Amino acid sequence: MHALHLDLYRLQDESELEALGLRDWAQSGYLWLIEWPDRAAGRLPAPDLRVTLTASMQGHEITVAAATVLGEEWLARAQA
């Protein structure tokens, strides 16, 4: 398994995603970790897991939600 981290914060338009050459990495065996996926929402597949990080004066909170059957399987394995 290979992990690919993308931070899309600096994208101004979703069309800029094409220039990054990500199609070469769109194959099985790759785990995509994407920050700011909403910057390219029209060009990315739906996520299997959605991780939300929230910071407040009381502390930090991490929420993980499965969005597909594969995501449910990953989450179940992580909780076992």
Side-chain angles (χ1 to χ4, degrees), residues 8-36:
L8 303 181
Y9 178 75
R10 295 191 187 277
L11 288 186
Q12 298 298 312
D13 183 83
E14 64 187 36
S15 65
E16 294 176 49
L17 190 66
E18 192 65 35
L20 299 177
L22 299 176
R23 290 187 192 272
D24 296 337
W25 304 100
Q27 52 189 305
S28 64
Y30 284 84
L31 171 65
W32 288 44
L33 305 167
I34 304 174
E35 295 182 63
W36 300 88

Side-chain angles (χ1 to χ4, degrees), residues 10-79:
R10 295 191 187 277
L11 288 186
Q12 298 298 312
D13 183 83
E14 64 187 36
S15 65
E16 294 176 49
L17 190 66
E18 192 65 35
L20 299 177
L22 299 176
R23 290 187 192 272
D24 296 337
W25 304 100
Q27 52 189 305
S28 64
Y30 284 84
L31 171 65
W32 288 44
L33 305 167
I34 304 174
E35 295 182 63
W36 300 88
D38 53 314
R39 300 284 175 125
R43 309 255 178 160
L44 295 172
D48 294 307
L49 288 175
R50 183 173 301 276
V51 179
T52 305
L53 308 173
T54 307
S56 69
M57 295 301 287
Q58 292 75 33
H60 298 89
E61 182 177 313
I62 300 172
T63 306
V64 181
T68 65
V69 172
L70 180 60
E72 290 172 0
E73 292 171 4
W74 274 73
L75 198 52
R77 279 187 268 167
Q79 293 173 338

